[in-house]
């Protein structure tokens, strides 16, 4: 798609490509949002902490599949095309979601229930391993000159819309259903909604055109070449993983873990916690394109350095203050601050990652770096946060984990943009 493409067509293309990302992320995050209900349905071990830990372990298992999906599906996308790859990932994610939505509970089929839920999560993780990379690369390759950061930011923006919709549905359900109904069947309704919109999203994704940059490429690597290039550029993947570490830890702290933190730690109501989650996602949706566009003007480096450093310095103190002064208003204020840090950093980070990965393995390289960060760092944030609180007795301990994520981003930024460079070192010249 050339720079002369009408603006209306550009907007429509962004909506079409990110709509599938919306569904994938909507389905993926529902599991974290409704963790307390899912734990009672599939993991009723008689201990709330143990039940929740088993649920978050299953949630995290989906992230362990992401690197495999990134390599296999990413290589497929780099070889066969962006459009076909995005259709395949949508189909795999839909299969996993349908499985989770309709499998009976432990009381009905015993151990088969948690096993089938685990399979559904693994399918979701395998698909999500390349979805974010595929969407980001597509947006980067169809962006108009000088606006790549703004365009690519809508990949993350679609995630925020997914969170807002999931939170609104949860808020509505908790308003009209009794706690008993929510535990018994109400939590499944959002999954049914996700299944219902699958056919529509398949239809609009099939209308996507292949990117002009990919079509112009004379040589398209086969799977063996893709794997070889990834091996040669391992240092780029490693630094990319650390760069994404700040994003994934922050994101899962302030979105997926927020309902559990508000209910289990701060003892706020489900509705208050979900309302805070909605407002946080709305704040993210504002800051992502704003800072993506700003990074097009001032460069990626200053934004990445500033907001990773602010996260290191303020994440724990902010949560420590909130724990002592727990209320709906204070939780909203703290989460909006953390949202400002995350949204500002990520607005520049995603496009930066597309720029440091070699073009011939752009989808697989981006996806592998992102999925490794999610699998090893961010995806287990609810599990790590729950464990830290239980082990240390410090309810603000998740702030330490988020500060660690900021440290990962800060170190990676300094390594990639060395000696004051405003642009990253060319692919192949980045060294650890």
């Amino acid at each position: 798609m050339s720079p002369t493409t009408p603006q209306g067509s550009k907007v429509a293309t962004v909506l079409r490509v990110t709509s599938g990302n919306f569904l994938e992320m909507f389905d993926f995050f529902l599991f974290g949002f409704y963790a307390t209900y899912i734990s009672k349905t599939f993991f009723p071990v008689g201990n709330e902490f143990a039940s929740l830990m088993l649920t978050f372990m299953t949630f995290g298992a989906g992230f362990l599949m992401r690197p495999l999906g990134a390599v296999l599906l990413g290589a497929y996308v780099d070889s066969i095309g962006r459009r076909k790859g995005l259709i395949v990932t949508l189909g795999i994610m839909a299969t996993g979601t349908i499985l989770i939505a309709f499998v009976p509970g432990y009381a009905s089929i015993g151990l088969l229930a948690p096993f089938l839920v685990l399979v559904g999560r693994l399918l979701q993780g395998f698909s999500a391993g390349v979805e974010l990379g595929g969407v980001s690369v597509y947006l980067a390759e169809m962006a108009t000159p000088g606006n790549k950061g703004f365009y690519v930011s809508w990949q993350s923006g679609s995630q925020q819309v997914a969170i807002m919709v999931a939170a609104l549905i949860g808020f509505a359900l908790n308003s009209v259903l009794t706690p008993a109904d929510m535990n018994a069947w109400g939590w499944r309704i959002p999954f049914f909604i996700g299944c219902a919109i699958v056919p529509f999203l398949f239809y609009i994704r099939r209308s996507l055109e292949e990117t002009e940059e990919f079509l112009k490429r004379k040589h398209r690597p086969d799977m063996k070449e893709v794997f070889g290039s990834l091996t040669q550029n391992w240092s780029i993947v490693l630094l990319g993983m650390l760069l994404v570490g700040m994003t994934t830890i922050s994101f899962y702290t302030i979105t997926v873990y927020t309902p559990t933190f508000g209910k289990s730690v701060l003892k706020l109501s489900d509705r208050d916690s979900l309302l805070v989650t909605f407002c946080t996602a709305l704040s993210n949706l504002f800051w992502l394109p704003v800072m993506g566009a700003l990074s097009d003007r001032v460069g990626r480096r200053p934004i990445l350095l500033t907001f990773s450093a602010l996260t290191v310095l303020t994440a724990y103190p902010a949560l420590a203050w909130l724990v002592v002064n727990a209320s709906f208003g204070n939780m909203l204020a703290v989460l909006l601050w953390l949202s400002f840090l995350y949204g500002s950093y990520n607005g520049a980070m995603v496009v930066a990652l597309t720029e440091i990965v070699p073009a011939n393995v752009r989808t697989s390289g981006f996806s592998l770096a992102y999925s490794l960060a999610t699998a090893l760092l961010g995806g287990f944030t609810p599990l790590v946060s729950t464990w830290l609180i239980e082990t240390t007795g410090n309810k603000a301990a998740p702030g330490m984990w988020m500060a660690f994520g900021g440290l990962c981003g800060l170190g990676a930024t300094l390594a990639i943009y060395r000696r004051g460079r405003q642009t990253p070192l060319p692919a192949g010249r980045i060294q650890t």
Side-chain angles (χ1 to χ4, degrees):
M1 195 169 294
S2 66
T4 60
T5 301
Q7 188 63 29
S9 179
K10 286 283 189 182
V11 173
T13 300
V14 170
L15 290 175
R16 284 198 298 269
V17 69
T18 57
S19 63
N21 192 47
F22 160 84
L23 174 67
E24 297 220 20
M25 295 303 104
F26 176 76
D27 293 342
F28 208 74
F29 297 139
L30 285 179
F31 199 97
F33 279 4
Y34 297 97
T36 54
Y37 300 111
I38 292 173
S39 66
K40 295 174 184 177
T41 302
F42 299 110
F43 305 97
V45 297
N47 180 291
E48 183 178 355
F49 169 69
S51 180
L52 198 58
M53 287 290 284
L54 285 172
T55 302
F56 282 141
M57 287 175 68
T58 304
F59 178 74
F63 295 102
L64 295 179
M65 287 294 289
R66 282 194 171 196
L68 184 61
V71 173
L72 296 181
L73 292 177
Y76 173 79
V77 174
D78 280 327
S79 177
I80 203 70
R82 317 307 187 199
R83 174 186 173 276
K84 291 181 180 179
L86 290 175
I87 293 174
V88 170
T89 61
L90 183 60
I92 297 173
M93 175 63 75
T95 302
T97 301
I98 290 171
L99 193 58
I100 294 173
F102 289 95
V103 66
Y106 181 88
S108 300
I109 59 174
L111 292 175
L112 185 59
F115 172 76
L116 290 176
V117 169
L118 177 61
V119 171
R121 283 296 297 166
L122 294 178
L123 287 173
Q124 287 184 325
F126 185 71
S127 170
V130 78
E131 172 68 16
L132 299 182
V135 170
S136 299
V137 169
Y138 191 101
L139 293 173
E141 292 184 351
M142 57 82 65
T144 54
N147 294 297
K148 188 179 291 187
F150 175 75
Y151 274 87
V152 175
S153 70
W154 290 106
Q155 176 266 98
S156 296
S158 65
Q159 296 181 40
Q160 314 314 313
V161 177
I163 292 168
M164 291 163 61
V165 173
L168 281 177
I169 293 173
F171 183 86
L173 290 175
N174 279 279
S175 299
V176 300
L177 297 179
T178 65
D181 286 338
M182 281 297 298
N183 280 320
W185 52 268
W187 66 267
R188 294 182 185 267
I189 293 177
F191 287 93
F192 294 152
I193 293 173
C195 295
I197 63 176
V198 166
F200 170 72
L201 294 181
F202 264 114
Y203 172 76
I204 62 176
R205 241 191 201 187
R206 284 176 61 87
S207 66
L208 283 173
E209 297 178 5
E210 188 55 78
T211 65
E212 187 170 303
E213 181 175 335
F214 181 83
L215 291 174
K216 287 181 177 179
R217 199 167 298 155
K218 295 181 179 180
H219 175 69
R220 298 174 187 177
D222 56 26
M223 300 282 278
K224 182 179 180 180
E225 290 177 292
V226 171
F227 295 151
S229 182
L230 286 175
T231 302
Q232 293 173 2
N233 292 282
W234 65 269
S235 60
I236 299 175
V237 173
L238 177 60
L239 286 174
M241 181 192 76
L242 294 176
L243 196 69
V244 180
M246 157 71 183
T247 283
T248 58
I249 290 176
S250 298
F251 179 70
Y252 288 101
T253 298
I254 68 176
T255 56
V256 174
Y257 183 63
T258 292
T260 300
F261 184 75
K263 179 180 179 180
S264 302
V265 179
L266 301 182
K267 305 304 179 183
L268 300 178
S269 69
D270 282 331
R271 291 197 301 169
D272 283 349
S273 298
L274 287 168
L275 187 57
V276 169
T277 303
F278 173 84
C279 294
T280 300
L282 184 62
S283 172
N284 293 343
L285 184 60
F286 173 79
W287 290 115
L288 283 163
V290 168
M291 290 304 184
L294 183 61
S295 75
D296 287 327
R297 305 294 179 265
V298 304
R300 322 298 181 202
R301 181 178 182 271
I303 293 178
L304 295 175
L305 287 177
T306 298
F307 289 98
S308 57
L310 282 174
T311 301
V312 173
L313 295 174
T314 67
Y316 177 76
L319 282 183
W321 177 83
L322 175 59
V323 167
V324 175
N325 302 278
S327 70
F328 170 79
N330 290 342
M331 183 179 181
L332 178 61
V334 168
L335 266 293
L336 288 179
W337 167 250
L338 298 180
S339 164
F340 172 58
L341 300 181
Y342 156 78
S344 299
Y345 177 89
N346 200 50
M349 188 284 298
V350 179
V351 66
L353 188 55
T354 68
E355 294 169 341
I356 69 173
V357 179
N360 64 322
V361 289
R362 187 170 286 155
T363 301
S364 52
F366 181 107
S367 299
L368 183 58
Y370 209 109
S371 61
L372 284 173
T374 307
L376 301 178
L377 299 171
F380 284 96
T381 288
L383 178 67
V384 171
S385 297
T386 302
W387 178 81
L388 283 174
I389 292 173
E390 181 73 15
T391 302
T392 66
N394 182 355
K395 295 180 178 179
M400 301 177 187
W401 181 237
M402 190 169 172
F404 171 74
L407 194 61
C408 290
L410 183 62
T413 301
L414 290 173
I416 293 170
Y417 299 86
R418 284 185 289 187
R419 292 185 288 276
R421 292 175 59 95
Q422 292 300 307
T423 56
L425 290 173
R429 289 179 54 194
I430 297 176
Q431 299 175 352
T432 54

